[in-house]
Amino acid sequence: MPLCTGVADDPAPVASLSDAITLPPPDLEGPLSLEEAIAARRSIRSYTGEPLSTADLSSLLWAAQGITDANRGYRAAPSAGAHYPLEVTVAIGDVEGIAPGTYRYYPDGHRITLITVGDHRAALSVAATGQQSIADAPATLVISGVYDRLRVRYGDRAERYTLLEAGHASQNCYLIATSRGLGTVAVGAFDEGEVQEIMGLPAGEVPLYLMPVGRIG
Ligand SMILES: Cc1cc2nc3c(=O)[nH]c(=O)nc-3n(C[C@H](O)[C@H](O)[C@H](O)COP(=O)(O)O)c2cc1C
């Protein structure tokens, strides 16, 4: 049962600060140059079985949608008119210090809040044509779009722009994963309704990409 859900245009407000887990600041230095990360990036579907750290989770979420310009609220991935139609939720199975469940990422404050309790990785894998990468990964990021956030300004280009933005966020996840010795893969083959239900997403928040992430040997 969802513990808290929001409406699409306005994700669930954090009920109280105690409900939120503030993530450590993202690492802003890594062992690889950008060029090395681009050259080494691959879709990786099998993982060692080790947990992710909160630092890993922090960097992945920051790369996907974190705030990189605190004054203007601009984020790591570009957005049409800076309207930010993307949401990132994460199905956590095995991340050190964080109980299994689905969580919503809030760029403001770099924190996550619980949506649904429990380890949903097996269900998420079934919803994604049984893809083993999702069952095995310690965590799977779900990049979703709220088309209505762009509709007033961009009309029937709202969906196109949102999908383009999901590509930017996904590529950032790939590159930060590569830099941290993690593997990920952009998964597009899944049942939208089932993923929405498992993740506890509100109506109007459409899952676009699943990104299972795990450590590689
Ligand atoms: C839109 C899109 C959907 C994809 N869906 C899946 C998927 O459902 N499962 C999967 O394992 N890989 C998926 N991939 C990853 C591709 O299979 C992968 O990018 C391709 O084989 C090239 O390998 P590389 O990413 O290592 O360069 C998808 C990639 C894109 C761009």
Side-chain angles (χ1 to χ4, degrees), residues 147-158:
Y147 301 133
D148 282 349
R149 284 188 197 149
L150 296 188
R151 242 186 262 286
V152 172
R153 179 152 176 193
Y154 297 111
D156 61 10
R157 295 184 76 75

Side-chain angles (χ1 to χ4, degrees), residues 33-149:
S33 68
L34 176 62
E35 291 81 359
E36 288 169 327
I38 292 172
R41 183 211 62 82
R42 283 275 73 83
S43 291
I44 295 175
R45 301 173 181 82
S46 57
Y47 317 107
T48 60
E50 292 166 88
L52 293 185
S53 65
T54 53
D56 292 328
L57 186 66
S58 166
S59 288
L60 287 158
L61 291 170
W62 173 79
Q65 279 296 286
I67 291 176
T68 50
D69 179 336
N71 291 331
R72 294 183 292 178
Y74 286 2
R75 301 185 186 177
S79 175
H83 286 301
Y84 301 110
L86 299 185
E87 290 287 324
V88 184
T89 51
V90 54
I92 287 180
D94 195 7
V95 175
E96 285 167 354
I98 302 180
T102 69
Y103 292 80
R104 180 174 296 280
Y105 176 58
Y106 288 83
D108 183 14
H110 194 49
R111 58 208 159 123
I112 55 173
T113 60
L114 183 67
I115 305 171
T116 62
V117 176
D119 188 344
H120 300 286
R121 291 178 293 175
L124 207 53
S125 165
V126 170
T129 67
Q131 295 189 57
Q132 195 61 36
S133 55
I134 294 174
D136 293 345
T140 293
L141 272 64
V142 178
I143 299 170
S144 308
V146 182
Y147 301 133
D148 282 349
R149 284 188 197 149

